[in-house]
Amino acid sequence: MSAAPSPFSFILETPAAAPEEARRHFLAKLSVETDPADVQLDLERGKKGFVVVDVRSKEAYAERHVPGALNLPSRTITAETTSHLSKDDVIVTYCWGPGCNGSTKAAARFAALGFRVKEMIGGIEYWVKEGHATEGTAARGTPVYTKRGDT
């Protein structure tokens, strides 16, 4: 049995933004985020101008990571540990998945050091869910969350 119609709407309770305001919001969001599909396509096509950085622990990186990604655990990001990176490149950070904010913390640290940065939403979890290849010691098909290291 369905509920009786109600004039109240959870969606419409807060008015939607004007189209131009919404456009600015979503462009701002896209300026700091990317997704696994876009990263994979750019890597596959050999695009330059960005560096993918896995900000999880060295152990987690060794098990499974995006092909070609550098490993720089988020708590180790300093001017010294990033001196080999070019500020001409966009840094793309990722961690475990939507439930991990390590890549957000890392992105903030990179930005504070003067790098342009985007966060790969979904992390390694969605990279694997989308079927993209990985490098590391974990066999294909091994669950992403076998253990969790510090980021």
Side-chain angles (χ1 to χ4, degrees):
M1 184 177 281
S2 63
S6 170
F8 178 79
S9 169
F10 289 99
I11 295 169
L12 303 176
E13 176 182 27
T14 302
E20 184 55 29
E21 183 181 346
R23 186 183 76 79
R24 282 192 307 272
H25 166 80
F26 291 115
L27 287 174
K29 186 175 176 179
L30 290 170
S31 74
V32 295
E33 291 180 352
T34 189
D35 65 23
D38 289 347
V39 173
Q40 191 277 331
L41 282 170
D42 274 1
L43 288 172
E44 181 180 278
R45 294 174 180 169
K47 297 296 181 187
K48 304 292 182 205
F50 67 96
V51 176
V52 180
V53 179
D54 184 318
V55 302
R56 300 172 304 142
S57 68
K58 293 191 182 307
E59 295 79 18
Y61 173 85
E63 287 179 5
R64 177 185 288 131
H65 58 271
V66 170
L70 303 177
N71 181 228
L72 194 55
S74 61
R75 290 189 183 102
T76 68
I77 296 169
T78 65
E80 293 77 25
T81 62
T82 61
S83 63
H84 64 289
L85 299 172
S86 171
K87 291 190 178 173
D88 292 332
D89 290 331
V90 171
I91 305 298
V92 176
T93 63
Y94 76 89
C95 62
W96 287 101
C100 177
N101 66 4
S103 62
T104 305
K105 292 173 184 175
R109 288 179 180 185
F110 274 112
L113 293 170
F115 290 92
R116 294 175 302 135
V117 63
K118 289 191 175 199
E119 182 178 21
M120 185 176 80
I121 59 174
I124 194 72
E125 176 184 351
Y126 277 74
W127 182 271
V128 170
K129 279 185 178 185
E130 291 182 15
H132 305 309
T134 60
E135 294 177 337
T137 61
R140 188 164 180 90
T142 303
V144 172
Y145 294 109
T146 56
K147 68 178 182 176
R148 177 141 181 204
D150 291 334
T151 57

